[in-house]
Amino acid sequence: MKVESINSNQLVRSYPARNASQPSFSGKAPGNLTDQIKDLLYNKKTLNVLSKFKDFNGEGGGILINSIGTGAIAPLFIAFNPLVKSPKNATKEQKQDLENTKKYTAMRQPVSAVLAILIQFGIQKPIDVFLDSLFNNPKIAKHLLVQLDHSTLNNDEYLSRQAAKDIKKEKLHFADKKSYKAALGRRVEIVNNRQISEIAKYLEQNGQIKIGERLIPDTDVANVINKQIDNYLEDARKFVIGEKGLSYYSERAEMLINNKDELTRILTNLPNGEKSLSDYLKKAINNSQSEDVKTLLKEILEYPTQQLRESRCKRTLKRIDKIINACNGNYNREAYLNSMLEDNSKLYKLIVNLQHGKIKDVKNANKDTIKAAIDKLVENCRFKKDSRLANILEKRIDTFMSDKGLLSEKVHKDIAKGYRVLLKNRYKGFNQISKILIGAAIMVPITCTALNWVYPRFMDIFFPKLSGIKKGGDK
């Protein structure tokens, strides 16, 4: 059978994804999924080492790396610069004087780097706190640019400082730093959720986002809605099965169905204990006459923990039932392939509807346009109970639901969260520009003044001979 995929102006992309009717060959167990995935990787030790350098992200890391370059690398190029040479007929003393000058100048770089770290690190935090106190304070923020107003959607850093003050005032004690940070995080999350709910409620009632006593421009809200639709589109596309996926899952389904009885016997009533389960599966592999069964059981054994292996066993049995149900109780390869194609067609329709629901004229959007777009978005994300879309999406992703009330609430909250992301990015850019301007106006003069005072004294203490030569003396 020829498999045809639809691609209308890039609205639909092909993904080798799974839907509810397809066999799943990975088990999901409770716990931190990121850690589980990392544990399965061959180079997990290297990744663990690299993860320790995550603190180099952001402005602090940039300052540190730049200072290391200034203090450790730049001096070498200054002290041993081959392009700076003595005149052709220079005396030995003149040549030595040039070498001393280069070395003396080179030593200025490490001193400058240390001062830059001390001064810049020392002033970064106060600037952040000062700006946060302006844009998160309702009494002050209402006089500032509304697109940067955090008074109704406080940033996490500000909330964390407020939570720390409250904990100190309440005289709470914690067993360790980890517990303290967890308590801070919970308090920040509670306030975040409350603020998002308030923004979402006003948006649902009025078709606008209100910050303090001011309204966000409708153009911004329209852009956030379109961005949120893009996120939902991406969620839907993950379930579309490409041609390679259709072939792969058809073959896998046949492996499961052809060995249904043996797999059911082996994977039912599993023994307890990691070693017992491992030995049981190894014995089943040795006793099986089917290469397909051996392949499937070996894949289960590759999982690193008993929990993941048990989950994989249970899911394998469930997939067998779902494959049969997808074929209305009478499995054959073509029927299962047609079932997946029919699921794809439903997803294509959903994707196209979502794409068409975007606000076209963003510049002229108003509250009525916004309310209509959100209502349409809710309707597009809603599926009927017991429909094919429900079979694909239900209990697998919370982007799409059958309950209109819950879905509407979620969509409005997602848009509020989307605006929070936009606000965060804008503020981050403003914050960085502010620091550059403050640095040019304040930090550079301070650093230069400190360097001019510290450097000669540093050289007198640590390199007195070189310092004495440059001063014209003989130390």
Side-chain angles (χ1 to χ4, degrees), residues 323-340:
I323 292 167
I324 295 171
N325 291 335
C327 302
N328 296 319
N330 186 22
Y331 170 81
N332 65 70
R333 184 166 180 148
E334 186 172 354
Y336 184 59
L337 178 58
N338 286 335
S339 173
M340 289 190 287

Side-chain angles (χ1 to χ4, degrees), residues 209-400:
I209 290 179
K210 189 177 183 182
I211 301 294
E213 297 302 319
R214 298 182 291 178
L215 295 171
I216 295 302
D218 293 330
T219 300
D220 284 352
V221 182
N223 277 319
V224 170
I225 291 171
N226 284 350
K227 175 62 178 175
Q228 193 57 50
I229 291 174
D230 285 335
N231 293 338
Y232 291 167
L233 280 165
E234 196 63 27
D235 287 340
R237 285 171 179 145
K238 291 175 183 176
F239 290 91
V240 175
I241 317 164
E243 291 190 25
K244 290 182 179 179
L246 291 168
S247 175
Y248 172 80
Y249 291 122
S250 295
E251 291 175 4
R252 277 291 171 128
E254 200 150 302
M255 287 173 64
L256 290 170
I257 296 301
N258 289 344
N259 298 281
K260 173 179 174 293
D261 293 338
E262 186 175 357
L263 287 170
T264 301
R265 176 179 57 78
I266 294 172
L267 301 181
T268 304
N269 298 323
L270 298 171
N272 293 322
E274 186 168 347
K275 188 176 185 308
S276 298
L277 178 59
S278 178
D279 292 342
Y280 173 79
L281 292 173
K282 289 176 182 177
K283 184 178 179 180
I285 291 171
N286 292 331
N287 293 337
S288 179
Q289 300 299 312
S290 168
E291 291 300 319
D292 288 342
V293 170
K294 290 181 178 181
T295 298
L296 293 168
L297 295 181
K298 285 177 182 178
E299 289 177 358
I300 295 173
L301 270 174
E302 288 176 359
Y303 283 83
T305 66
Q306 176 189 354
Q307 193 176 38
L308 290 173
R309 290 171 185 168
E310 287 179 349
S311 176
R312 170 70 182 271
C313 292
K314 293 174 183 177
R315 287 172 64 83
T316 299
L317 293 177
K318 288 180 180 178
R319 293 304 166 191
I320 293 174
D321 293 335
K322 289 183 177 180
I323 292 167
I324 295 171
N325 291 335
C327 302
N328 296 319
N330 186 22
Y331 170 81
N332 65 70
R333 184 166 180 148
E334 186 172 354
Y336 184 59
L337 178 58
N338 286 335
S339 173
M340 289 190 287
L341 289 171
E342 192 172 344
D343 287 342
N344 272 359
S345 70
K346 296 294 182 183
L347 289 166
Y348 292 148
K349 184 177 179 181
L350 169 62
I351 290 168
V352 171
N353 287 341
L354 285 171
Q355 186 71 57
H356 288 167
K358 283 188 172 184
I359 298 175
K360 305 296 186 297
D361 189 3
V362 171
K363 290 183 179 180
N364 295 313
N366 55 47
K367 63 180 182 179
D368 295 326
T369 308
I370 289 167
K371 288 189 78 171
I374 295 175
D375 289 342
K376 189 173 183 180
L377 178 57
V378 171
E379 197 55 42
N380 286 334
C381 290
R382 185 185 177 198
F383 55 75
K384 293 180 181 179
K385 211 67 170 156
D386 301 323
S387 65
R388 290 198 73 91
L389 279 178
N391 188 45
I392 301 168
L393 303 171
E394 195 168 27
K395 296 180 182 178
R396 297 176 66 82
I397 188 169
D398 64 357
T399 300
F400 310 99

Side-chain angles (χ1 to χ4, degrees), residues 445-463:
I446 291 175
T447 304
C448 290
T449 301
L451 180 62
N452 290 333
W453 188 88
V454 170
Y455 180 59
R457 289 162 177 78
F458 170 83
M459 294 299 291
D460 284 345
I461 295 171
F462 294 100
F463 299 94

